[in-house]
């Protein structure tokens, strides 16, 4: 058993051990396909396991009082995958949202989808509207699901919005600043992530929250997403607590 797993099992109330829980954690839950392959199973089984795992981690983060949790569920580049896999992912997302409030029962989680919702299947669009409305008055953890999300697309969209305002004389070029730009991103109103976790051993950002992660602390693990449990998140938070965030200044 790894040290952190042992630590977590022993001291079940690990939340009390944290000195500073990040306000916002972003997660790239990668490795579903490899998890399935290792077991000789179809990739879609890995996606099913991965989808189920999200709820466990949401409940844990909610317990330890993380305020914002942002999951990368489907990227603007994931459409390149075989149609059968894309369809399976869309169905799992639909199922996830349909069962979300029941399975997250009592955790007071508010769900918000970030990304190009217009490009999603009709059924999924309707479900997004329903679940956002249904959980809209919850004041616990805010769960952002990045769906058909790509940072480059998001930033280009922001540039177009700003250009439109300038063209219509509603905004002067001199007034374009960081807060104007942030206000046009899908994440408007959401503070930048403090900690970004990517699983499966890949150490890249894959078009995720490029603007928002300018000063985010990064943490990587070799664990494949369906194998990730509370102890991995605890390990990431403990590593985060030791970081010295300088933002270009001096500590
Ligand atoms: C992450 O798992 C889930 C999505 C991208 C939707 P992958 O499907 O990327 O799994 P690997 O990287 O192929 O193992
Ligand atoms: C990033 O994983 C997207 C999601 C987890 C939804 P990918 O598996 O798509 O990323 P790359 O292709 O390895 O960079
Ligand atoms: Mg992957």
């Amino acid at each position: 058993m790894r040290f952190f797993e042992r630590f977590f099992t022993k001291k079940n109330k690990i939340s009390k051990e944290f000195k500073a829980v990040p306000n916002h954690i972003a997660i790239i839950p990668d490795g579903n396909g490899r998890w399935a392959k290792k077991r000789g199973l179809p990739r879609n089984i890995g996606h099913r396991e991965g989808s189920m795992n999200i709820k466990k981690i949401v409940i844990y983060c909610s317990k330890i009082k993380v305020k914002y949790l942002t999951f990368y569920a489907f990227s603007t580049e994931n459409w390149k995958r075989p149609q059968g896999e894309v369809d399976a992912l869309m169905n799992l997302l639909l199922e996830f949202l349909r069962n979300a409030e029941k399975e997250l029962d009592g955790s007071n989680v508010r769900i918000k989808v970030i990304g190009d919702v217009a490009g999603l299947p009709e059924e999924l669009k309707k479900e997004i509207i329903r679940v956002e409305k249904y959980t809209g008055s919850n004041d616990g953890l805010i769960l952002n699901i990045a769906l058909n999300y790509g940072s480059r697309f998001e930033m280009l969209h922001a540039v177009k919005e700003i250009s439109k305002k300038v063209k219509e004389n509603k905004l002067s070029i001199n007034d374009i600043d960081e807060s104007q730009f942030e206000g046009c991103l899908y994440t408007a109103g959401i503070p930048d992530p403090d900690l970004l976790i990517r699983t499966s051993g890949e150490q890249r950002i894959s078009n995720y929250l490029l603007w928002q992660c300018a000063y985010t602390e990064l943490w990587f693990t070799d664990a494949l997403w369906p194998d990730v449990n509370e102890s991995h998140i605890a390990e990431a938070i403990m590593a985060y607590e030791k970081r010295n965030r300088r933002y270009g200044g001096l500590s």
Side-chain angles (χ1 to χ4, degrees), residues 113-124:
V113 170
I114 58 169
D116 183 23
V117 172
L120 292 170
E122 282 309 314
E123 225 183 339
L124 196 49

Side-chain angles (χ1 to χ4, degrees), residues 23-117:
N23 185 46
H24 183 176
I25 300 181
I27 301 185
I28 305 179
D30 199 9
N32 293 347
R34 278 164 284 168
W35 182 91
K37 197 176 169 212
K38 252 174 71 180
R39 289 163 177 76
L41 297 168
R43 289 179 59 83
N44 293 346
I45 302 290
H47 291 314
R48 172 165 293 282
E49 284 296 313
S51 169
M52 276 159 24
N53 204 32
I54 290 181
K55 281 169 191 156
K56 181 171 82 196
I57 300 304
V58 171
I59 290 169
Y60 175 64
C61 287
S62 163
K63 272 193 197 140
I64 60 168
K65 300 278 184 284
V66 171
K67 185 63 194 167
Y68 298 88
L69 187 59
T70 304
F71 270 100
Y72 206 0
F74 191 89
S75 77
T76 46
E77 286 73 36
N78 286 148
W79 298 107
K80 290 179 196 161
R81 297 190 180 196
Q83 194 58 44
E85 182 164 343
V86 169
D87 291 346
L89 283 166
M90 291 298 142
N91 283 330
L92 282 170
L93 286 160
L94 191 62
E95 214 179 290
F96 178 92
L97 295 175
R98 277 198 181 136
N99 299 325
E101 62 263 14
K102 194 171 76 216
E103 289 173 18
L104 297 172
D105 197 26
S107 48
N108 199 20
V109 169
R110 178 173 178 177
I111 298 178
K112 183 180 156 59
V113 170
I114 58 169
D116 183 23
V117 172

Side-chain angles (χ1 to χ4, degrees), residues 9 11 14 19 31 40 47-48 58 69 82 86 89-90 97 100 108 124 130 134 144 165 202 217 226 246 251:
T9 326
K11 305 196 176 183
I14 203 161
K19 288 190 284 291
H47 291 314
R48 172 165 293 282
V58 171
L69 187 59
V86 169
L89 283 166
M90 291 298 142
L97 295 175
N108 199 20
L124 196 49
R130 191 200 64 78
Y134 192 87
N144 303 304
K165 284 188 203 166
E202 309 297 352
E217 296 297 326
R246 288 185 289 274
S251 49

Side-chain angles (χ1 to χ4, degrees), residues 162-205:
I162 288 176
S163 307
K164 213 167 120 210
K165 284 188 203 166
V166 171
K167 196 175 167 202
E168 290 167 356
N169 290 320
K170 288 180 184 149
L171 179 69
S172 137
I173 288 182
N174 293 333
D175 291 335
I176 301 174
D177 58 9
E178 289 188 12
S179 84
Q180 274 289 336
F181 191 74
E182 279 164 4
C184 295
L185 298 175
Y186 297 127
T187 51
I190 301 170
D192 289 342
D194 299 291
L195 172 65
L196 172 70
I197 296 174
R198 183 168 188 155
T199 67
S200 86
E202 309 297 352
Q203 301 196 357
R204 56 177 169 264
I205 302 290

